[in-house]
Amino acid sequence: MDLNIRGLGKSFGESIALHKTDLSIRQGKFTTLLGPSGCGKTTLLRMIAGLERPDTGEISFGEDILFSQKKEVPPHKRGFGMVFQDFALWPHMTVFENVAFGIRAAGRKDGIREKVMEALDKVKLSGMEERYPHQLSGGQQQRVAFARAVAIRPRLVLFDEPLSALDAVLRDEMRLEMMYLVREMGLTALYVTHDQIEAMSMSDEVIVMHSGKVLQIGTPENIYNLPNHPFVARFIGKSNWLAGGVSMFRPEHIVFSPGGQESQESYSYSAIVTQVSYVGDRYEVRLHTDEVREHWLAYYPERLREGTKVTVYVPKQHLHQVGESLKD
Ligand SMILES: Nc1ncnc2c1ncn2[C@@H]1O[C@H](COP(=O)(O)OP(=O)(O)OP(=O)(O)O)[C@@H](O)[C@H]1O
Ligand SMILES: [Mg+2]
């Protein structure tokens, strides 16, 4: 069963947090809402959870209507789990009680101990049941929050930037662990983030949002290679643009030699190296060409000297027409 959203909209006073939106979140898939701060991700997630009341529209899960102008199912009856950025654990409750709380809140009364222990085992926290949140690291606290959300085997798990309070190394680790657990448990996930790497690496489907609107929905490959909007092209990865701001290509597609046969298939440009940054596995090279005012970015295996004149090639197959600009 899919989660379906029809004409869902929400304003706070004069400002529109979410324009009327239609969406489907597919069962068994990992779907991500991606967009910059303030674009309406949390508002949309909270409406799905039942924590925020929509102004217009309808939310249903399969045949089951969760919200319409005539009906409103309360959060704990929706059968969803939720993981928040700040973990939202009860400080006065032990790990066991925190997870059990999630199960009781969903109205389940039987087999609580087994469900808690099973969930804690999944997140590798067995033996820590009696600890309090302040006796755990940030990563462990987030595992408890995850266990609490999934202990009831929810039909949908909602995540709101669950990793952003963690340091970079832990964030990468937890990202892989959450991905693994969601897939292993066969859960359906809707994940909110403003981090494009997180979105691309975890998701089956990415929904890119901007100013309360959905701009593009697609697989990570699809939104990276075929952005339908300049905002998407710029927000997802690095982009180089031709004059006019319609055609773009990614930095990894700039090559420094014509490459045999490919020469007929490539455009060539004279450029000057204006800046070189070493990033470990390669050098990031900023290029100035007379063709465009905006700099281009390219990758090179060795350090080039700033001021060097180079000829670069862009294979035609990697040029992508993005469509009209964001002026509405
Ligand atoms: N309770 C509220 N009262 C008034 N305005 C609100 C409220 N909640 C959200 N907004 C506004 O609605 C818009 C969308 O906010 P939202 O929190 O959904 O964005 P977001 O995409 O989750 O951003 P972030 O990445 O910073 O968490 C913003 O302009 C915000 O200021
Ligand atoms: Mg938010």
Side-chain angles (χ1 to χ4, degrees), residues 150-162:
V150 302
I152 57 161
R153 296 268 165 176
R155 50 187 183 169
L156 174 67
V157 196
L158 304 168
F159 296 91
D160 195 356
E161 312 230 15

Side-chain angles (χ1 to χ4, degrees), residues 161-181:
E161 312 230 15
L163 304 181
S164 54
L166 307 176
D167 70 55
V169 174
L170 191 55
R171 193 154 63 220
D172 283 355
E173 249 173 57
M174 289 291 293
R175 168 156 61 87
L176 295 172
E177 200 178 311
M178 275 196 194
M179 264 168 81
Y180 172 77
L181 283 170

